[in-house]
Amino acid sequence: VVLKLDLSNNNLKGTIPKEICHLEEMERFILSQNQLQGSIPSCLSNLKSLKTLDLHSNQLTGGLPPGLLYAPKLKKVDLSQNQLTGKLDALLDDWTNGDYLTINLEQLDVHSNKITGTIPAVLQYLPTLVEKDFSDNLIAT
């Protein structure tokens, strides 16, 4: 059983394989400071034990993973310093249905990407979300 996978700062190239989502018990997934490209696998939102997702300082592109913030144990997400596009709403998928009440996120960092749109109100008022950085994007204020 793999609980932690930390391959940060290893000059890794290529894409994040979707097979990573077969590590269902993984709690910490860290691939920061590499040269990874492509999109973030959407299946990461299905990892029920995931507490930390740190993919900062790569060259990742594409939209934000739909519904990522609903991973039940997720506390920290750092997707900063990539080339991610789309809107922050994608992280919540369909937050109007009330599921956002199950989000336990404490830290969300998406600074220095190409994210557009506005900051969803739910992200501004989540009681557990104490650290958030949306700076250096194309977000309207």
Side-chain angles (χ1 to χ4, degrees):
V1 172
V2 176
L3 296 178
K4 176 182 176 183
L5 180 59
D6 185 346
L7 296 171
S8 58
N9 205 19
N10 271 295
N11 201 30
L12 296 176
K13 298 177 182 174
T15 60
I16 301 171
K18 291 182 177 121
E19 290 77 15
I20 199 72
C21 296
H22 294 298
L23 300 175
E24 296 175 359
E25 302 297 319
M26 184 168 51
E27 296 177 355
R28 299 184 66 202
F29 183 42
I30 305 166
L31 293 178
S32 59
Q33 299 179 345
N34 283 294
Q35 297 180 37
L36 297 170
Q37 298 177 327
S39 60
I40 300 170
S42 60
C43 59
L44 289 176
S45 61
N46 298 328
L47 295 177
K48 305 281 187 242
S49 298
L50 190 63
K51 294 178 183 176
T52 300
L53 175 63
D54 187 348
L55 304 176
H56 83 272
S57 301
N58 279 289
Q59 299 165 16
L60 297 170
T61 57
L64 298 166
L68 176 65
L69 300 188
Y70 292 120
K73 295 186 179 180
L74 195 58
K75 300 284 185 193
K76 177 183 177 184
V77 174
D78 190 346
L79 305 176
S80 64
Q81 298 179 315
N82 281 289
Q83 298 171 32
L84 298 170
T85 57
K87 297 182 179 185
L88 286 170
D89 293 27
L91 291 171
L92 297 161
D93 200 17
D94 183 15
W95 61 271
T96 56
N97 66 12
D99 286 345
Y100 65 88
L101 297 172
T102 64
I103 297 173
N104 296 307
L105 195 66
E106 295 173 358
Q107 299 174 335
L108 176 60
D109 190 347
V110 294
H111 83 271
S112 301
N113 279 288
K114 298 176 181 177
I115 298 169
T116 58
T118 59
I119 299 171
V122 69
L123 288 181
Q124 297 181 42
Y125 300 111
L126 279 176
T128 57
L129 188 57
V130 293
E131 285 185 42
K132 49 194 169 197
D133 190 347
F134 308 119
S135 64
D136 196 23
N137 278 289
L138 304 171
I139 297 173
T141 55

